[in-house]
Amino acid sequence: MARRLDAIDSVIIWPTLAARRGARNPGPRAWRAAIDAHLRGAYLVARAAGLAFAARGGGRLLVVIDAPPADELIANVVAEGLICLADGLRKALGAAVDVASLQLAPGRGDRHAAAHVRAWLAAPPGVFNVTVGAPSRSRSPAASARRG
């Protein structure tokens, strides 16, 4: 017996921030391609999901942000843009849509990150801007675990 899905209630956006080999000194085309693929793509998906959730009266949106290598400029710019994206959407969409960001620390691995994503899905709404494995740049660890 097939099960019918009524509606999507959560969207997870997890763009990769890895640069191509040899991309340490990227040119304008590499910047445009990375911004379009990782930041603009995340924005378009998040905006569509957020507006649909707001129209429906609720939903959850998680932006997962990999820790970029320190020497990869594009990845660092995209990571900061994703943090701003999550903060801006949280403010713009209001309380009806639970918008969160999960900032991953370097070297923790996908299994560790996936466990935190599953925990967020199981948790009640209201947790946002959580940093896994390192203190948040924008908030204290205690403040990161509560809605501001």
Side-chain angles (χ1 to χ4, degrees), residues 88-115:
L89 284 170
R90 182 178 47 81
K91 292 172 185 168
L93 295 170
V97 181
D98 182 32
V99 179
S101 65
L102 176 64
Q103 298 173 42
L104 304 177
R108 298 294 290 186
D110 288 342
R111 277 194 188 145
H112 181 75

PDB file of all heavy atoms in Angstrom, residues 88-115:
ATOM      1  N   GLY A  88      18.547  36.628   7.793  1.00  0.00           N
ATOM      2  CA  GLY A  88      17.584  37.477   7.103  1.00  0.00           C
ATOM      3  C   GLY A  88      16.239  36.799   6.895  1.00  0.00           C
ATOM      4  O   GLY A  88      15.185  37.405   7.085  1.00  0.00           O
ATOM      5  N   LEU A  89      16.265  35.533   6.507  1.00  0.00           N
ATOM      6  CA  LEU A  89      15.011  34.793   6.317  1.00  0.00           C
ATOM      7  C   LEU A  89      14.259  34.625   7.629  1.00  0.00           C
ATOM      8  O   LEU A  89      13.037  34.739   7.668  1.00  0.00           O
ATOM      9  CB  LEU A  89      15.281  33.426   5.694  1.00  0.00           C
ATOM     10  CG  LEU A  89      15.595  33.434   4.207  1.00  0.00           C
ATOM     11  CD1 LEU A  89      16.082  32.057   3.767  1.00  0.00           C
ATOM     12  CD2 LEU A  89      14.376  33.843   3.396  1.00  0.00           C
ATOM     13  N   ARG A  90      15.005  34.358   8.709  1.00  0.00           N
ATOM     14  CA  ARG A  90      14.360  34.194  10.013  1.00  0.00           C
ATOM     15  C   ARG A  90      13.606  35.457  10.393  1.00  0.00           C
ATOM     16  O   ARG A  90      12.469  35.424  10.846  1.00  0.00           O
ATOM     17  CB  ARG A  90      15.397  33.848  11.076  1.00  0.00           C
ATOM     18  CG  ARG A  90      14.798  33.618  12.449  1.00  0.00           C
ATOM     19  CD  ARG A  90      15.841  33.218  13.473  1.00  0.00           C
ATOM     20  NE  ARG A  90      17.027  34.037  13.470  1.00  0.00           N
ATOM     21  CZ  ARG A  90      17.124  35.227  14.073  1.00  0.00           C
ATOM     22  NH1 ARG A  90      16.098  35.743  14.691  1.00  0.00           N
ATOM     23  NH2 ARG A  90      18.253  35.899  14.025  1.00  0.00           N
ATOM     24  N   LYS A  91      14.221  36.592  10.149  1.00  0.00           N
ATOM     25  CA  LYS A  91      13.574  37.873  10.478  1.00  0.00           C
ATOM     26  C   LYS A  91      12.431  38.189   9.517  1.00  0.00           C
ATOM     27  O   LYS A  91      11.383  38.673   9.925  1.00  0.00           O
ATOM     28  CB  LYS A  91      14.609  38.988  10.466  1.00  0.00           C
ATOM     29  CG  LYS A  91      15.609  38.860  11.599  1.00  0.00           C
ATOM     30  CD  LYS A  91      16.736  39.850  11.468  1.00  0.00           C
ATOM     31  CE  LYS A  91      17.770  39.591  12.555  1.00  0.00           C
ATOM     32  NZ  LYS A  91      19.003  40.317  12.319  1.00  0.00           N
ATOM     33  N   ALA A  92      12.609  37.915   8.230  1.00  0.00           N
ATOM     34  CA  ALA A  92      11.604  38.257   7.222  1.00  0.00           C
ATOM     35  C   ALA A  92      10.370  37.377   7.303  1.00  0.00           C
ATOM     36  O   ALA A  92       9.250  37.841   7.072  1.00  0.00           O
ATOM     37  CB  ALA A  92      12.210  38.164   5.820  1.00  0.00           C
ATOM     38  N   LEU A  93      10.554  36.101   7.625  1.00  0.00           N
ATOM     39  CA  LEU A  93       9.425  35.165   7.603  1.00  0.00           C
ATOM     40  C   LEU A  93       8.669  35.113   8.921  1.00  0.00           C
ATOM     41  O   LEU A  93       7.549  34.619   8.972  1.00  0.00           O
ATOM     42  CB  LEU A  93       9.910  33.770   7.208  1.00  0.00           C
ATOM     43  CG  LEU A  93      10.455  33.662   5.780  1.00  0.00           C
ATOM     44  CD1 LEU A  93      11.131  32.314   5.563  1.00  0.00           C
ATOM     45  CD2 LEU A  93       9.345  33.886   4.769  1.00  0.00           C
ATOM     46  N   GLY A  94       9.254  35.605   9.979  1.00  0.00           N
ATOM     47  CA  GLY A  94       8.562  35.656  11.259  1.00  0.00           C
ATOM     48  C   GLY A  94       8.434  34.315  11.947  1.00  0.00           C
ATOM     49  O   GLY A  94       9.048  33.319  11.565  1.00  0.00           O
ATOM     50  N   ALA A  95       7.583  34.279  12.945  1.00  0.00           N
ATOM     51  CA  ALA A  95       7.458  33.114  13.816  1.00  0.00           C
ATOM     52  C   ALA A  95       6.793  31.916  13.153  1.00  0.00           C
ATOM     53  O   ALA A  95       6.954  30.790  13.622  1.00  0.00           O
ATOM     54  CB  ALA A  95       6.683  33.502  15.073  1.00  0.00           C
ATOM     55  N   ALA A  96       6.049  32.117  12.091  1.00  0.00           N
ATOM     56  CA  ALA A  96       5.342  30.995  11.458  1.00  0.00           C
ATOM     57  C   ALA A  96       6.304  29.991  10.834  1.00  0.00           C
ATOM     58  O   ALA A  96       6.001  28.804  10.750  1.00  0.00           O
ATOM     59  CB  ALA A  96       4.383  31.508  10.386  1.00  0.00           C
ATOM     60  N   VAL A  97       7.477  30.453  10.400  1.00  0.00           N
ATOM     61  CA  VAL A  97       8.453  29.578   9.764  1.00  0.00           C
ATOM     62  C   VAL A  97       9.692  29.520  10.652  1.00  0.00           C
ATOM     63  O   VAL A  97      10.276  30.542  10.979  1.00  0.00           O
ATOM     64  CB  VAL A  97       8.838  30.086   8.356  1.00  0.00           C
ATOM     65  CG1 VAL A  97       9.839  29.142   7.711  1.00  0.00           C
ATOM     66  CG2 VAL A  97       7.597  30.231   7.490  1.00  0.00           C
ATOM     67  N   ASP A  98      10.060  28.318  11.055  1.00  0.00           N
ATOM     68  CA  ASP A  98      11.237  28.109  11.889  1.00  0.00           C
ATOM     69  C   ASP A  98      12.455  28.014  10.980  1.00  0.00           C
ATOM     70  O   ASP A  98      12.660  27.015  10.307  1.00  0.00           O
ATOM     71  CB  ASP A  98      11.059  26.829  12.704  1.00  0.00           C
ATOM     72  CG  ASP A  98      12.229  26.580  13.642  1.00  0.00           C
ATOM     73  OD1 ASP A  98      12.826  27.547  14.128  1.00  0.00           O
ATOM     74  OD2 ASP A  98      12.537  25.395  13.888  1.00  0.00           O
ATOM     75  N   VAL A  99      13.246  29.090  10.940  1.00  0.00           N
ATOM     76  CA  VAL A  99      14.454  29.131  10.114  1.00  0.00           C
ATOM     77  C   VAL A  99      15.657  28.963  11.028  1.00  0.00           C
ATOM     78  O   VAL A  99      15.771  29.650  12.042  1.00  0.00           O
ATOM     79  CB  VAL A  99      14.567  30.455   9.337  1.00  0.00           C
ATOM     80  CG1 VAL A  99      15.843  30.479   8.512  1.00  0.00           C
ATOM     81  CG2 VAL A  99      13.353  30.664   8.450  1.00  0.00           C
ATOM     82  N   ALA A 100      16.539  28.050  10.671  1.00  0.00           N
ATOM     83  CA  ALA A 100      17.718  27.780  11.486  1.00  0.00           C
ATOM     84  C   ALA A 100      18.945  27.655  10.602  1.00  0.00           C
ATOM     85  O   ALA A 100      18.841  27.372   9.409  1.00  0.00           O
ATOM     86  CB  ALA A 100      17.515  26.486  12.275  1.00  0.00           C
ATOM     87  N   SER A 101      20.105  27.872  11.216  1.00  0.00           N
ATOM     88  CA  SER A 101      21.361  27.582  10.528  1.00  0.00           C
ATOM     89  C   SER A 101      22.189  26.677  11.420  1.00  0.00           C
ATOM     90  O   SER A 101      22.142  26.778  12.648  1.00  0.00           O
ATOM     91  CB  SER A 101      22.123  28.864  10.189  1.00  0.00           C
ATOM     92  OG  SER A 101      22.535  29.533  11.357  1.00  0.00           O
ATOM     93  N   LEU A 102      22.916  25.793  10.790  1.00  0.00           N
ATOM     94  CA  LEU A 102      23.793  24.858  11.493  1.00  0.00           C
ATOM     95  C   LEU A 102      25.180  25.048  10.913  1.00  0.00           C
ATOM     96  O   LEU A 102      25.420  24.719   9.751  1.00  0.00           O
ATOM     97  CB  LEU A 102      23.302  23.424  11.293  1.00  0.00           C
ATOM     98  CG  LEU A 102      24.144  22.310  11.882  1.00  0.00           C
ATOM     99  CD1 LEU A 102      24.194  22.413  13.399  1.00  0.00           C
ATOM    100  CD2 LEU A 102      23.584  20.956  11.467  1.00  0.00           C
ATOM    101  N   GLN A 103      26.079  25.634  11.690  1.00  0.00           N
ATOM    102  CA  GLN A 103      27.436  25.902  11.225  1.00  0.00           C
ATOM    103  C   GLN A 103      28.344  24.763  11.681  1.00  0.00           C
ATOM    104  O   GLN A 103      28.460  24.494  12.869  1.00  0.00           O
ATOM    105  CB  GLN A 103      27.927  27.225  11.795  1.00  0.00           C
ATOM    106  CG  GLN A 103      27.079  28.400  11.339  1.00  0.00           C
ATOM    107  CD  GLN A 103      27.471  29.674  12.046  1.00  0.00           C
ATOM    108  OE1 GLN A 103      28.655  29.941  12.212  1.00  0.00           O
ATOM    109  NE2 GLN A 103      26.493  30.455  12.454  1.00  0.00           N
ATOM    110  N   LEU A 104      28.957  24.089  10.725  1.00  0.00           N
ATOM    111  CA  LEU A 104      29.784  22.927  11.021  1.00  0.00           C
ATOM    112  C   LEU A 104      31.233  23.326  11.241  1.00  0.00           C
ATOM    113  O   LEU A 104      31.757  24.182  10.543  1.00  0.00           O
ATOM    114  CB  LEU A 104      29.688  21.923   9.875  1.00  0.00           C
ATOM    115  CG  LEU A 104      28.274  21.465   9.532  1.00  0.00           C
ATOM    116  CD1 LEU A 104      28.312  20.531   8.332  1.00  0.00           C
ATOM    117  CD2 LEU A 104      27.608  20.803  10.719  1.00  0.00           C
ATOM    118  N   ALA A 105      31.868  22.688  12.192  1.00  0.00           N
ATOM    119  CA  ALA A 105      33.287  22.908  12.448  1.00  0.00           C
ATOM    120  C   ALA A 105      34.110  22.053  11.495  1.00  0.00           C
ATOM    121  O   ALA A 105      33.652  21.013  11.031  1.00  0.00           O
ATOM    122  CB  ALA A 105      33.612  22.554  13.897  1.00  0.00           C
ATOM    123  N   PRO A 106      35.313  22.475  11.180  1.00  0.00           N
ATOM    124  CA  PRO A 106      36.139  21.706  10.251  1.00  0.00           C
ATOM    125  C   PRO A 106      36.504  20.330  10.795  1.00  0.00           C
ATOM    126  O   PRO A 106      36.690  20.162  11.997  1.00  0.00           O
ATOM    127  CB  PRO A 106      37.388  22.556  10.081  1.00  0.00           C
ATOM    128  CG  PRO A 106      37.296  23.696  11.005  1.00  0.00           C
ATOM    129  CD  PRO A 106      35.960  23.682  11.651  1.00  0.00           C
ATOM    130  N   GLY A 107      36.567  19.363   9.898  1.00  0.00           N
ATOM    131  CA  GLY A 107      37.065  18.043  10.233  1.00  0.00           C
ATOM    132  C   GLY A 107      36.144  17.136  11.019  1.00  0.00           C
ATOM    133  O   GLY A 107      36.563  16.084  11.491  1.00  0.00           O
ATOM    134  N   ARG A 108      34.887  17.484  11.192  1.00  0.00           N
ATOM    135  CA  ARG A 108      33.991  16.656  11.998  1.00  0.00           C
ATOM    136  C   ARG A 108      33.345  15.534  11.192  1.00  0.00           C
ATOM    137  O   ARG A 108      32.898  14.565  11.746  1.00  0.00           O
ATOM    138  CB  ARG A 108      32.915  17.528  12.658  1.00  0.00           C
ATOM    139  CG  ARG A 108      33.446  18.565  13.609  1.00  0.00           C
ATOM    140  CD  ARG A 108      34.070  17.955  14.807  1.00  0.00           C
ATOM    141  NE  ARG A 108      33.022  17.357  15.610  1.00  0.00           N
ATOM    142  CZ  ARG A 108      33.197  16.822  16.793  1.00  0.00           C
ATOM    143  NH1 ARG A 108      34.383  16.820  17.328  1.00  0.00           N
ATOM    144  NH2 ARG A 108      32.203  16.306  17.445  1.00  0.00           N
ATOM    145  N   GLY A 109      33.241  15.680   9.896  1.00  0.00           N
ATOM    146  CA  GLY A 109      32.716  14.615   9.059  1.00  0.00           C
ATOM    147  C   GLY A 109      31.219  14.682   8.839  1.00  0.00           C
ATOM    148  O   GLY A 109      30.477  15.276   9.619  1.00  0.00           O
ATOM    149  N   ASP A 110      30.796  14.053   7.741  1.00  0.00           N
ATOM    150  CA  ASP A 110      29.380  14.073   7.356  1.00  0.00           C
ATOM    151  C   ASP A 110      28.493  13.317   8.325  1.00  0.00           C
ATOM    152  O   ASP A 110      27.355  13.702   8.556  1.00  0.00           O
ATOM    153  CB  ASP A 110      29.205  13.507   5.946  1.00  0.00           C
ATOM    154  CG  ASP A 110      29.723  14.463   4.878  1.00  0.00           C
ATOM    155  OD1 ASP A 110      29.888  15.657   5.175  1.00  0.00           O
ATOM    156  OD2 ASP A 110      29.955  14.000   3.759  1.00  0.00           O
ATOM    157  N   ARG A 111      28.972  12.223   8.894  1.00  0.00           N
ATOM    158  CA  ARG A 111      28.137  11.470   9.856  1.00  0.00           C
ATOM    159  C   ARG A 111      27.804  12.315  11.069  1.00  0.00           C
ATOM    160  O   ARG A 111      26.686  12.314  11.551  1.00  0.00           O
ATOM    161  CB  ARG A 111      28.853  10.197  10.295  1.00  0.00           C
ATOM    162  CG  ARG A 111      28.691   9.086   9.352  1.00  0.00           C
ATOM    163  CD  ARG A 111      29.110   7.789   9.996  1.00  0.00           C
ATOM    164  NE  ARG A 111      29.116   6.782   8.968  1.00  0.00           N
ATOM    165  CZ  ARG A 111      29.957   5.805   8.900  1.00  0.00           C
ATOM    166  NH1 ARG A 111      30.878   5.657   9.818  1.00  0.00           N
ATOM    167  NH2 ARG A 111      29.887   4.935   7.932  1.00  0.00           N
ATOM    168  N   HIS A 112      28.796  13.007  11.564  1.00  0.00           N
ATOM    169  CA  HIS A 112      28.590  13.886  12.718  1.00  0.00           C
ATOM    170  C   HIS A 112      27.573  14.980  12.370  1.00  0.00           C
ATOM    171  O   HIS A 112      26.653  15.254  13.131  1.00  0.00           O
ATOM    172  CB  HIS A 112      29.935  14.499  13.126  1.00  0.00           C
ATOM    173  CG  HIS A 112      29.863  15.388  14.311  1.00  0.00           C
ATOM    174  ND1 HIS A 112      29.733  14.907  15.586  1.00  0.00           N
ATOM    175  CD2 HIS A 112      29.887  16.735  14.414  1.00  0.00           C
ATOM    176  CE1 HIS A 112      29.686  15.921  16.428  1.00  0.00           C
ATOM    177  NE2 HIS A 112      29.781  17.040  15.741  1.00  0.00           N
ATOM    178  N   ALA A 113      27.742  15.579  11.209  1.00  0.00           N
ATOM    179  CA  ALA A 113      26.826  16.629  10.771  1.00  0.00           C
ATOM    180  C   ALA A 113      25.423  16.079  10.576  1.00  0.00           C
ATOM    181  O   ALA A 113      24.440  16.698  10.993  1.00  0.00           O
ATOM    182  CB  ALA A 113      27.332  17.258   9.482  1.00  0.00           C
ATOM    183  N   ALA A 114      25.312  14.907   9.950  1.00  0.00           N
ATOM    184  CA  ALA A 114      23.996  14.303   9.720  1.00  0.00           C
ATOM    185  C   ALA A 114      23.293  14.015  11.039  1.00  0.00           C
ATOM    186  O   ALA A 114      22.074  14.166  11.141  1.00  0.00           O
ATOM    187  CB  ALA A 114      24.139  13.031   8.894  1.00  0.00           C
ATOM    188  N   ALA A 115      24.039  13.633  12.050  1.00  0.00           N
ATOM    189  CA  ALA A 115      23.429  13.388  13.363  1.00  0.00           C
ATOM    190  C   ALA A 115      22.825  14.668  13.923  1.00  0.00           C
ATOM    191  O   ALA A 115      21.742  14.654  14.510  1.00  0.00           O
ATOM    192  CB  ALA A 115      24.474  12.817  14.325  1.00  0.00           C
TER     193      ALA A 115
END
